[in-house]
């Protein structure tokens, strides 16, 4: 058994997984999430904002204490879309190195997708290959198709934070929704051209947009990852929820029992991305996974320590 720690720093959230890895899989010790909005303004300025960096480092200092308390080693820290896009990403790298004592990896979209695929498919029942995994993040969405191994990977710059800041921050008007939809459709044109999605027999969705919409679809009284994991949500239900979220006020979205406060302002854009993916490719449903890049990172740490 190896006790490892994985930290995933995305555009919207920073997450921690401390897990015991054995030949039989992962056993969670700690799984934490904090919404820090590291990608605040990056689409517009090309830089990580000082206040966003400080929010992120504050969350990470708490994670470093947990890692020490649980005696986890090795540790792997990855950063994704917002940090890839930032001119001052060296500030992020320096801060992370000081907190964890390891060099963070600013991973490519392709590597992010591969790690997500491994994490999402391990231990999930009812998965008929080939499998298409998509991970809707704050700044980008990753698509990966594979069976036993990854075959096709693509990362496109559509995410719930990026599209909200670009189109919906001043109001959810029909014109703003149409503009966001046009960005999504242009990205999905690339997906259709570069990934043979029609081969997929199982479609798995990851990350907070998908799990939040799953909780709404299941009428859950509170966020319940165990209930979400492995749930199958029909495309028609996603379409209905997506339209409803875009029509709601901020307070109405905040009152949804499964809604994390840090997702209230971006869930409309996230739901629109999910809805457009299912509609564009004619997928009848999405299989929800609560396991993702964090789990893929944990497995990679076990492999590296044993090799």
């Amino acid at each position: 058994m190896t006790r490892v720690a994985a930290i995933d720093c995305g555009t919207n959230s920073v997450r921690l997984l401390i897990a015991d890895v054995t030949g039989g899989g992962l056993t969670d010790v700690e799984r934490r999430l904090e919404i820090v909005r590291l990608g605040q303004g990056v689409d517009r300025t090309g830089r990580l904002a000082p206040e966003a960096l400080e929010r992120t480092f504050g969350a990470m200092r708490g994670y470093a204490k947990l890692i020490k308390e649980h005696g986890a080693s090795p540790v792997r820290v990855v950063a994704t879309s917002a940090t890839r896009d930032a001119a001052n990403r060296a500030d992020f790298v320096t801060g992370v190195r000081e907190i964890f004592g390891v060099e963070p990896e600013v991973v490519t979209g392709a590597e992010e997708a591969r790690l997500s695929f491994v994490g999402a498919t391990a231990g999930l029942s009812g998965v008929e290959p080939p499998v298409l995994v998509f991970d809707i993040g704050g700044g980008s969405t990753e698509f990966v198709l594979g069976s036993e191994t990854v075959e096709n990977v693509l990362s496109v710059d559509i995410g719930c934070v990026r599209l909200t800041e670009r189109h919906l921050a001043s109001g959810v008007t029909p014109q703003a929704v149409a503009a966001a939809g046009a960005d999504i459709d242009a990205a999905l044109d690339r997906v259709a051209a570069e990934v043979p999605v029609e081969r997929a027999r199982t479609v798995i969705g990851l990350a907070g947009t998908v799990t939040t919409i799953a909780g709404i679809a299941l009428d859950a009284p509170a966020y319940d990852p165990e209930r979400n994991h492995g749930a199958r949500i029909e495309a028609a239900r996603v379409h209905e929820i997506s339209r409803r979220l875009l029509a709601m006020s901020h307070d109405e979205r905040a009152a949804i029992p499964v809604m994390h406060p840090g997702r209230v302002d971006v869930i409309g854009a996230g739901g629109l991305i999910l809805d457009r993916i299912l509609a564009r490719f004619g997928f009848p449903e999405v299989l929800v996974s609560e396991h993702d890049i964090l789990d893929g990172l944990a497995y990679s740490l076990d492999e590296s320590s044993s090799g």
Side-chain angles (χ1 to χ4, degrees):
M1 184 188 77
T2 306
R3 176 161 291 182
V4 304
I7 298 97
D8 167 40
C9 191
T11 300
N12 198 40
S13 64
V14 58
R15 300 179 304 138
L16 167 72
L17 173 62
I18 299 174
D20 293 331
V21 191
T22 65
L26 293 179
T27 302
D28 286 13
V29 176
E30 293 273 1
R31 196 180 284 260
R32 300 288 184 94
L33 174 148
E34 289 196 41
I35 302 289
V36 295
R37 198 62 58 85
L38 177 63
Q40 169 195 333
V42 168
D43 186 62
R44 178 177 54 83
T45 67
R47 298 181 64 83
L48 298 169
E51 62 270 27
L53 282 167
E54 190 45 50
R55 288 194 300 267
T56 303
F57 294 154
M60 287 180 166
R61 290 182 193 107
Y63 290 170
K65 290 178 182 177
L66 286 171
I67 291 167
K68 185 176 181 180
E69 287 170 9
H70 288 294
S73 180
V75 177
R76 189 175 180 190
V77 183
V78 301
T80 53
S81 177
T83 312
R84 280 197 300 266
D85 296 343
N88 62 331
R89 69 184 191 180
D91 296 340
F92 172 84
V93 170
T94 300
V96 172
R97 191 190 301 121
E98 290 174 354
I99 293 166
F100 293 110
V102 299
E103 193 79 9
E105 304 165 52
V106 183
V107 295
T108 65
E111 176 64 8
E112 182 180 355
R114 290 187 184 94
L115 289 165
S116 294
F117 183 85
V118 170
T121 56
L124 193 62
S125 60
V127 176
E128 180 184 354
V131 179
L132 178 71
V133 174
F134 60 83
D135 183 341
I136 301 173
S140 63
T141 297
E142 282 66 51
F143 293 82
V144 53
L145 181 74
S147 296
E148 294 297 320
T149 59
V150 170
E151 298 165 19
N152 300 89
V153 172
L154 183 64
S155 177
V156 290
D157 283 341
I158 49 170
C160 59
V161 174
R162 189 186 298 272
L163 290 183
T164 298
E165 290 186 349
R166 189 178 290 177
H167 299 294
L168 306 178
S170 299
V172 184
T173 64
Q175 295 80 6
V177 172
D183 275 5
I184 297 167
D185 292 343
L188 296 183
D189 286 343
R190 280 194 62 203
V191 176
E194 298 183 39
V195 181
V197 294
E198 67 281 355
R199 293 184 50 230
R201 306 297 297 172
T202 303
V203 178
I204 300 176
L206 312 181
T209 287
V210 175
T211 56
T212 300
I213 288 176
I216 296 170
L218 295 169
D219 294 319
Y223 188 79
D224 186 346
E226 290 187 10
R227 188 175 177 190
N228 283 344
H229 190 61
R232 294 176 182 270
I233 310 301
E234 293 183 354
R237 188 82 170 105
V238 170
H239 181 64
E240 172 200 332
I241 293 168
S242 172
R243 291 185 65 178
R244 184 150 47 99
L245 287 169
L246 285 167
M248 284 179 171
S249 68
H250 181 279
D251 289 348
E252 287 171 335
R253 291 193 301 272
I256 296 171
V258 300
M259 186 71 65
H260 189 290
R263 299 199 194 284
V264 173
D265 62 330
V266 296
I267 190 65
L272 187 62
I273 295 168
L274 175 58
D275 184 50
R276 287 292 239 262
I277 291 170
L278 298 183
R280 169 63 184 270
F281 300 119
F283 298 139
E285 65 178 17
V286 59
L287 176 61
V288 179
S289 177
E290 285 276 355
H291 297 171
D292 49 36
I293 187 172
L294 277 177
D295 303 75
L297 286 168
Y299 282 119
S300 77
L301 284 167
D302 184 56
E303 290 166 3
S304 64
S305 65
S306 61

